[in-house]
Amino acid sequence: MRATRTIISVVLVAALGVGGYYYWEWRMAPSPMAAAGASKGGPGGAARATPVVAASAQQGDIDLIVNGLGTVTPLRTVTVRTRVDGELMRVLFQEGQLVKEGELLAEIDARAFQVQLQQTQGQLARDRALLENARLDLERYKTLFKQDSIARQQVDTQASLVRQYEGAITVDQSQIENAKLQLAYSRITAPISGRVGLRMVDPGNIVRSGDQNGIVLITQLQPVAVLFTVPQDLLPTVMKRLQSREQIAVEAWDREQKAKLAEGSLASADNVVDPQTGTVKLKAQFANDDGGLFPNQFVNARMKLDTLRDVVIVPSAAVQRGAQGMFVYVVRADRTVELRTVTLGPLDGQRQSIASGLRAGETVVTDGVDRLRPGAPVEVASARPEAKPPAEFKKGGGRRRDKAGG
């Protein structure tokens, strides 16, 4: 029994020794990934090149663009109200319709004004008859006065009566014109060309000249204005251009600044600076022939103030911000990168001008800068490098297991 236990103990010790040896051999052997890394460059080998996308710095012209958040504002907004009191008989427009100046919009019951016109015309006819008779009597009195048959006072009284009737005729004519005007006001026409809004009152209601809401609101859309703000530091440049009567181009873009809605020009500037924000309001005018701008719509206004000639231009993606300020990675002739601090100029979309720190013709990294360090070797690609799955992943998506099964 004791011999059996001794044999079992010897076998277990031998098994543990053999297992420990093979485990030590496995731990000391390099893994396939480490071997692959050593073949391409790793600790103790050559540095591995980082794939990046690069572009050459160009020399050209760039526009000095000023951006501002703006609101589309009609040049004219008119609330159509009635000038006379009466029943609204007909509404001849559709809500949202484009109307032209002078186009008939609604009609008010005009029978009362027609009756008033006829009454004043009858009054005028009666006064004309009285005037004609008074003039005939005046001629007779003048003849009798020459014959010394009547007194001078009677002639003067008759002449005064003639002038009285002449004044009455003048009043009658003015009353006729007023009646015609009231009759014309019963036909409500569009005072401006534009788009009508929602109808404020329906046919059959009694409308009055003192109503505040009116019948409908008309906004002028062609042309249309955009109000936007710019920093007060740009005011001297803007005013100089306006006073010289130079046309300053302004573009209206959508909220995300992806689609250009319209092109116009700067029309005027406000006469005060907002002390709370330090900005000044500018007004740009757009033809808006296609109706792309709508009243009270929020847009991004882009104003071209000036054009800089022969400046160094790089893609905006090449410029990075760090503790040392704005910088770019320049690809040198030996395919290594150099961190170069630069001074920025105006930005025009995806084109960034460089005031100093870079020369035209130098190559800058535009994609992959997050993996770079000064002096690191790079491999310049023509497009963005695609992300590939790591070597330890199989095609089927399963992860390889090492010798220990982990």
Side-chain angles (χ1 to χ4, degrees):
M1 189 66 180
R2 186 173 182 180
T4 304
R5 291 180 180 178
T6 304
I7 295 173
I8 293 175
S9 300
V10 171
V11 171
L12 289 176
V13 171
L16 290 175
V18 173
Y21 174 80
Y22 280 106
Y23 180 77
W24 180 80
E25 287 288 335
W26 173 80
R27 292 292 294 175
M28 295 302 295
S31 65
M33 291 182 59
S39 63
K40 294 185 179 181
R48 182 178 179 182
T50 303
V52 296
V53 178
S56 179
Q58 305 292 331
Q59 187 172 10
D61 303 338
I62 192 170
D63 296 330
L64 179 58
I65 303 297
V66 178
N67 297 317
L69 183 62
T71 306
V72 180
T73 306
L75 292 181
R76 290 193 293 174
T77 302
V78 178
T79 301
V80 179
R81 297 185 175 92
T82 177
R83 298 186 180 184
V84 295
D85 301 344
E87 180 183 356
L88 185 62
M89 301 297 293
R90 292 195 303 163
V91 175
L92 304 176
F93 63 88
Q94 300 291 332
E95 294 178 340
Q97 175 185 347
L98 291 174
V99 297
K100 295 182 178 180
E101 182 178 354
E103 184 175 345
L104 183 62
L105 299 179
E107 289 183 347
I108 297 176
D109 188 5
R111 290 175 294 180
F113 309 116
Q114 187 67 40
V115 171
Q116 184 179 0
L117 176 61
Q118 293 176 355
Q119 181 180 357
T120 53
Q121 288 175 342
Q123 183 72 26
L124 176 62
R126 189 195 68 173
D127 290 342
R128 280 179 175 175
L130 293 174
L131 176 61
E132 183 178 357
N133 182 62
R135 285 174 176 174
L136 292 175
D137 289 344
L138 179 60
E139 294 299 327
R140 296 189 189 100
Y141 290 164
K142 288 181 178 180
T143 302
L144 293 175
F145 177 74
K146 290 179 180 179
Q147 297 175 357
D148 201 17
S149 299
I150 58 175
R152 177 70 183 182
Q153 182 180 0
Q154 191 172 356
V155 176
D156 294 341
T157 302
Q158 188 64 29
S160 176
L161 183 61
V162 169
R163 291 192 295 270
Q164 180 179 349
Y165 286 147
E166 290 176 348
I169 289 177
T170 302
V171 173
D172 294 339
Q173 289 176 342
S174 64
Q175 290 179 349
I176 289 176
E177 295 298 327
N178 181 66
K180 289 182 178 179
L181 186 60
Q182 300 298 315
L183 191 61
Y185 285 160
S186 65
R187 294 170 54 87
I188 302 175
T189 58
I192 61 172
S193 299
R195 185 187 298 275
V196 297
L198 301 179
R199 186 173 65 244
M200 303 294 184
V201 63
D202 298 324
N205 289 282
I206 301 299
V207 293
R208 293 178 173 82
S209 58
D211 294 341
Q212 295 296 325
N213 294 332
I215 297 177
V216 72
L217 181 69
I218 302 180
T219 55
Q220 183 180 359
L221 300 180
Q222 297 174 348
V224 74
V226 171
L227 292 178
F228 63 101
T229 58
V230 298
Q232 61 180 355
D233 298 338
L234 298 175
L235 189 58
T237 305
V238 174
M239 295 305 300
K240 183 178 180 181
R241 294 283 302 275
L242 283 176
Q243 292 172 0
S244 63
R245 300 189 181 276
E246 295 183 23
Q247 188 175 11
I248 304 177
V250 180
E251 297 177 350
W253 290 69
D254 62 352
R255 186 185 298 271
E256 298 179 354
Q257 296 194 15
K258 293 182 178 180
K260 184 170 64 174
L261 303 178
E263 295 182 357
S265 59
L266 187 64
S268 59
D270 201 358
N271 57 353
V272 293
V273 175
D274 190 347
Q276 296 181 354
T277 60
T279 59
V280 61
K281 291 183 180 179
L282 301 181
K283 176 187 284 187
Q285 186 168 321
F286 298 83
N288 199 29
D289 295 330
D290 58 351
L293 299 178
F294 207 78
N296 293 336
Q297 177 184 3
F298 287 100
V299 297
N300 287 286
R302 300 183 61 188
M303 179 175 60
K304 178 182 175 182
L305 271 184
D306 200 357
T307 301
L308 303 181
R309 307 292 182 182
D310 298 332
V311 296
V312 179
I313 302 173
V314 298
S316 58
V319 181
Q320 304 295 318
R321 181 186 297 274
Q324 65 274 22
M326 309 305 294
F327 67 91
V328 296
Y329 277 111
V330 180
V331 180
R332 295 183 290 199
D334 58 353
R335 294 296 180 180
T336 59
V337 292
E338 172 192 355
L339 190 148
R340 186 85 58 83
T341 304
V342 295
T343 303
L344 302 183
L347 174 67
D348 183 9
Q350 301 298 323
R351 304 168 67 237
Q352 175 67 61
S353 63
I354 305 298
S356 63
L358 192 67
R359 298 186 303 271
E362 291 186 304
T363 303
V364 294
V365 178
T366 60
D367 195 357
V369 295
D370 53 338
R371 301 186 301 269
L372 296 181
R373 294 293 183 269
V378 295
E379 179 183 353
V380 179
S382 58
R384 181 183 177 90
E386 297 182 357
K388 298 181 180 180
E392 64 267 19
F393 282 88
K394 296 182 179 180
K395 293 183 179 179
R399 191 178 182 91
R400 286 185 177 178
R401 294 183 177 271
D402 52 24
K403 295 181 180 180

